[in-house]
Amino acid sequence: MPIAALRAPLPDPATDIADAVRARIDGLAKPPGSLAALETLAVRLAAAQGRSTPVADRARVVVFAGDHGVAREESVSPYPPEVTASMVRTFAAGRAAVAVLARQAGAELEVVDVGVAGLTGLPPGTDGVRVVGARVAEGTANLAAGPAMTPAQRDEALQAGAAAADRAAADGVQVLALGEMGIGNTTPATAITCRLLGRPAEELTGPGTGLDGAGVSHKARVIQRALDRTDVTGPLDVLAELGGFELVALVGCMLQAAHHRIPVVLDGFIVGASALAAVRLDPRLRPYLVAATRSAEPGHAAILAAVDAGEPLLDLGLRLGEASGAALALPLLRSACAIVEGMATLDDVLSGRI
Amino acid sequence: MPIAALRAPLPDPATDIADAVRARIDGLAKPPGSLAALETLAVRLAAAQGRSTPVADRARVVVFAGDHGVAREESVSPYPPEVTASMVRTFAAGRAAVAVLARQAGAELEVVDVGVAGLTGLPPGTDGVRVVGARVAEGTANLAAGPAMTPAQRDEALQAGAAAADRAAADGVQVLALGEMGIGNTTPATAITCRLLGRPAEELTGPGTGLDGAGVSHKARVIQRALDRTDVTGPLDVLAELGGFELVALVGCMLQAAHHRIPVVLDGFIVGASALAAVRLDPRLRPYLVAATRSAEPGHAAILAAVDAGEPLLDLGLRLGEASGAALALPLLRSACAIVEGMATLDDVLSGRI
């Protein structure tokens, strides 16, 4: 196993505490179950954190960014690969969607360059944004033609992700919202999902940020070439053969966050593909995951069923990535925590103590 | 027409400003349309407010509370009517679900007693909660046996709702989130919806806060008795015959808020029934409404289609009322506003100006 996060078994969720929180919620001043998904969320956070009063005040959004050989060589995105670097600069300037949404949610934003091509130096972060350099290479190799990365590069990306979780734990972060930036990265995400779920490319390939029908067909053929090229099925091998640096870093970050008992809010399809690989590496990761948003990508529903991260909290039709959905879901986590702590019990109300 | 809000025609939404905001959003640094429902929401708020930078920072949650003769006499709820007064005290103490959720959303909470039975005096508000007395009567009459209220009582309730909108406007409130409290009030809400949409009670009657199958059947028979008792179809007549004080106050509040160009966030089924009546009184109300949450009550889908308040922002299975869903949606309104103002344009990014 390449990193410590993969060696040690993940802690079990605190089911005793979860049961106590469920009982407390059932006794609050409202019809039982009437806050529905918010109640389930509070119980899930309590189990993950091992706290009878779950907390989500200190939240950090982490966006891993990387480039992709397959985008450079196979035209799988309507946007040129240079946009990845441009967007990292826009994150740093606090003016990308996720920067605006994280600020609005009162969350910090950390951008981790794990493999952005053509980014000279690291842009200084402004306005609550931190940029971290952990570049494994200037983008991956073309996964349709050969392995996307070497095993050593994969391990380096896993480590970069785990390091982000360690920083969060050291800073007292209570929940992590994870996202990604990388032009073309629905292609590796779809390839990973197809391989781990045993599905053909044409079933799970979608338009990403905006391909037309012909573009989707072309992308599905590129992904199928990659799937036909290699028959690995172990999650670590799949990540090296079909992954992207940001996708691999997300895996390391999720697993290490669970070691720290920090719940992880998953953005859409691409983060979902990483969650799928991470859950294959250690199924005990599941209770630490919270699905923020339902993606329009055809592979996402299958991922959600496989990773068991709960029903997505939001279904707004988002198809941006960047952790935009995860950032938008943060107030719901805080609200779930607040009801556990702030509400009167039904006994208080009926007995006239209020 | 009983109140000023019903006499004057509502202002048209600012379609020119909405078009400009749509164009601005299309030029932001993201794939066109990728923020989906958040973009639609920003445009809707801009049109309602007549502002090219829509705002939702100053938000107020208003909960109208009243009791129901039909709950006293016909057993249509698993909870006794006394719970309405108890819950108003719990709101005032800042310890009901909506009080917690409003606080978490950074919104003020105003509770308006328009007809709570057995509430001696007004509980003092604490912790950002204001309690306003505007009691029309100690609950309505039993709508299954006769008119729920007199036309004069209806007009008084409409006026109480309009006054809440006037207070909000005077205080500089930018968005209103509306809710209700009243044991048994899915019964008048269902009756109003059935009459205005021409549907029989058995089609639209649901479990409310927790009736079992036999309870739902009984409730449907009670509602059908009310529908069979009177053949009025005009919305003002329907409100007096089949309404509740809090339902009528909501109608007055929505219409008056639109006069002030304050967008109104609708909680679930009961507030939806009021929105349906309000839209019948003036269809120009529609663009001022924002649907917060999808209710499990069977009548809600038909209401949503009729009032055209957009796809609900949340679908969390909530069935509490109180404005809990509307309060939970407020951060999404703020986020929609923030993207319009805070994001770089695609031109900025591609030209290297960032």
Side-chain angles (χ1 to χ4, degrees):
Chain A
M1 289 290 183
I3 63 167
L6 302 182
R7 278 196 301 270
L10 287 178
D12 285 322
T15 49
D16 51 336
I17 291 174
D19 291 346
V21 170
R22 166 49 67 196
R24 171 160 176 77
I25 291 173
D26 285 344
L28 294 177
K30 58 178 186 52
S34 58
L35 285 174
L38 216 58
E39 301 181 16
T40 312
L41 177 59
V43 173
R44 193 172 186 98
L45 294 174
Q49 294 179 332
R51 288 180 58 104
S52 55
T53 52
V55 282
D57 295 319
R58 179 107 193 243
R60 180 176 292 174
V61 179
V62 181
V63 177
F64 295 97
D67 272 304
H68 299 270
V70 70
R72 213 164 47 237
E73 297 179 10
E74 309 278 354
S75 297
V76 290
S77 169
Y79 294 91
E82 292 71 30
V83 169
T84 306
S86 299
M87 287 308 301
V88 168
R89 281 189 288 265
T90 311
F91 295 151
R95 295 189 60 203
V98 69
V100 171
L101 296 174
R103 202 158 53 228
Q104 186 61 43
E108 312 155 32
L109 172 60
E110 180 177 284
V111 183
V112 185
D113 171 8
V114 283
V116 179
L119 189 65
T120 314
L122 279 184
T126 53
D127 222 359
V129 186
R130 170 160 58 171
V131 185
V132 176
R135 199 178 305 168
V136 179
E138 298 257 324
T140 55
N142 178 2
L143 59 86
M149 66 190 78
T150 66
Q153 288 178 321
R154 175 203 59 208
D155 294 352
E156 197 180 335
L158 283 168
Q159 191 55 56
D166 288 338
R167 281 192 297 277
D171 292 344
V173 167
Q174 294 159 333
V175 294
L176 273 174
L178 298 187
E180 42 59 47
M181 175 71 217
I183 293 300
N185 67 4
T186 56
T187 291
T190 306
I192 290 168
T193 305
C194 286
R195 176 52 48 87
L196 292 180
L197 295 179
R199 306 274 286 271
E202 65 174 358
E203 273 185 27
L204 300 190
T205 304
T209 48
L211 287 175
D212 61 12
V216 174
S217 298
H218 168 70
K219 179 171 148 189
R221 284 191 298 272
V222 171
I223 292 167
Q224 194 58 51
R225 275 170 54 208
L227 294 170
D228 292 343
R229 182 185 58 67
T230 173
D231 60 2
V232 296
T233 55
L236 286 174
D237 293 334
V238 170
L239 287 172
E241 287 285 344
L242 304 173
F245 296 131
E246 76 277 38
L247 284 147
V248 177
L250 283 163
V251 172
C253 186
M254 287 173 201
L255 290 165
Q256 189 75 350
H259 275 290
H260 293 299
R261 306 199 79 116
I262 300 175
V264 171
V265 185
L266 305 176
D267 201 43
F269 173 63
I270 292 151
V271 177
S274 290
L276 178 62
V279 163
R280 284 292 170 90
L281 282 165
D282 192 334
R284 277 169 299 194
L285 176 63
R286 287 194 175 100
Y288 295 92
L289 304 177
V290 174
T293 176
R294 195 178 295 282
S295 164
E297 284 291 293
H300 197 228
I303 287 173
L304 287 172
V307 304
D308 191 22
E311 280 293 295
L313 296 168
L314 298 171
D315 185 8
L316 299 169
L318 306 179
R319 49 189 182 80
L320 176 59
E322 292 186 9
S324 53
L328 281 168
L330 287 173
L332 294 175
L333 273 74
R334 297 206 182 110
S335 294
C337 296
I339 61 162
V340 176
E341 188 133 36
M343 280 183 67
T345 66
L346 197 58
D347 272 356
D348 288 339
V349 172
L350 297 182
S351 66
R353 281 196 297 275
I354 284 185
Chain B
M1 289 289 184
I3 64 168
L6 302 181
R7 277 196 301 270
L10 286 178
D12 285 320
T15 50
D16 51 337
I17 290 174
D19 291 345
V21 170
R22 166 49 68 195
R24 171 161 175 78
I25 290 174
D26 285 343
L28 295 177
K30 59 176 186 54
S34 58
L35 285 174
L38 216 58
E39 301 180 15
T40 312
L41 177 58
V43 172
R44 193 172 187 99
L45 295 174
Q49 294 178 332
R51 289 180 56 105
S52 55
T53 52
V55 282
D57 295 319
R58 179 107 194 241
R60 180 176 291 175
V61 179
V62 182
V63 177
F64 295 97
D67 272 303
H68 300 270
V70 71
R72 212 166 45 237
E73 297 180 11
E74 308 279 353
S75 297
V76 289
S77 168
Y79 294 91
E82 292 71 29
V83 170
T84 305
S86 299
M87 287 309 300
V88 168
R89 281 189 287 265
T90 311
F91 295 151
R95 295 190 60 203
V98 70
V100 172
L101 296 174
R103 200 157 56 228
Q104 186 62 42
E108 312 156 31
L109 173 61
E110 180 176 285
V111 182
V112 186
D113 170 8
V114 283
V116 179
L119 188 65
T120 314
L122 277 185
T126 53
D127 223 0
V129 186
R130 171 159 58 173
V131 184
V132 176
R135 198 177 307 168
V136 179
E138 300 256 325
T140 55
N142 178 3
L143 59 86
M149 65 190 80
T150 66
Q153 288 178 321
R154 174 203 59 207
D155 294 351
E156 196 180 337
L158 283 168
Q159 191 56 56
D166 289 338
R167 282 192 297 276
D171 291 344
V173 167
Q174 295 158 332
V175 293
L176 273 174
L178 298 187
E180 44 55 49
M181 176 70 217
I183 293 300
N185 66 3
T186 56
T187 291
T190 304
I192 289 168
T193 305
C194 286
R195 176 52 46 88
L196 293 180
L197 296 179
R199 306 274 286 272
E202 64 173 357
E203 273 184 30
L204 299 190
T205 303
T209 48
L211 287 176
D212 61 12
V216 175
S217 298
H218 168 70
K219 180 171 147 189
R221 285 192 297 272
V222 172
I223 292 168
Q224 193 59 50
R225 274 171 53 209
L227 294 170
D228 293 343
R229 181 184 59 68
T230 172
D231 58 2
V232 297
T233 55
L236 286 173
D237 293 333
V238 169
L239 287 172
E241 287 284 345
L242 304 173
F245 296 131
E246 75 278 38
L247 284 146
V248 177
L250 282 163
V251 171
C253 186
M254 288 175 201
L255 291 165
Q256 189 75 351
H259 276 290
H260 293 297
R261 305 199 79 115
I262 300 175
V264 171
V265 185
L266 305 177
D267 203 42
F269 173 64
I270 293 152
V271 177
S274 290
L276 179 62
V279 162
R280 285 291 170 90
L281 284 164
D282 192 335
R284 278 169 298 193
L285 175 63
R286 287 195 176 99
Y288 295 92
L289 304 177
V290 174
T293 178
R294 194 179 295 283
S295 165
E297 284 291 294
H300 197 228
I303 287 173
L304 287 172
V307 303
D308 191 21
E311 280 293 296
L313 296 168
L314 297 171
D315 186 8
L316 298 170
L318 306 177
R319 50 188 182 80
L320 175 59
E322 293 186 7
S324 53
L328 281 168
L330 288 173
L332 294 174
L333 273 74
R334 296 205 182 111
S335 293
C337 296
I339 61 163
V340 176
E341 187 132 36
M343 279 183 69
T345 66
L346 197 58
D347 273 355
D348 288 338
V349 173
L350 297 182
S351 66
R353 281 196 296 274
I354 283 184

